Amino acid sequence: MATHPAVPDLKLNSNKDQVRRALDAAVEAIGGQPREGQIEMAEAVANALSDRHHLLVQAGTGTGKSLAYLVPALVHGKKVDRRASCRERVSSPV
């Protein structure tokens, strides 16, 4: 069912709010600070989980990638296997 562009998708907004609250709580629990890149990534992961599409994210060290993919997965009730769901590659100059 498509919604009119001017009418907000309440389920999407609710999901986004849940992910944002959970991310804020997780960041606070570890004594961290909110990071814009982390928030954007968490929202993109939540959207990918809701819409069941693939997502490829590239983010630098210290962005907060681990919480940005774990929190939305937990909010959506998904089983998370770090080895399968996120491959981090560190490249060093040759």
Side-chain angles (χ1 to χ4, degrees):
M1 179 175 94
T3 60
H4 188 278
V7 178
D9 183 341
L10 296 178
K11 183 179 178 195
L12 181 61
N13 287 339
S14 174
N15 241 356
K16 187 176 175 179
D17 291 342
Q18 286 180 320
V19 168
R20 182 63 190 269
R21 284 192 306 269
L23 182 60
D24 288 345
V27 169
E28 184 179 332
I30 63 171
Q33 296 293 318
R35 299 175 181 151
E36 189 60 35
Q38 183 181 50
I39 295 165
E40 289 177 25
M41 181 178 164
E43 290 174 353
V45 170
N47 184 40
L49 289 168
S50 293
D51 293 348
R52 300 184 52 87
H53 68 264
H54 295 280
L55 175 69
L56 177 65
V57 177
Q58 179 180 348
T61 302
T63 303
K65 293 179 291 295
S66 295
L67 286 179
Y69 76 81
L70 286 170
V71 168
L74 293 171
V75 167
H76 287 335
K78 301 293 182 188
K79 180 178 176 183
V80 177
D81 180 353
R82 181 177 168 92
R83 293 168 298 160
S85 63
C86 180
R87 303 272 184 201
E88 294 184 13
R89 187 179 87 191
V90 178
S91 300
S92 58
V94 178

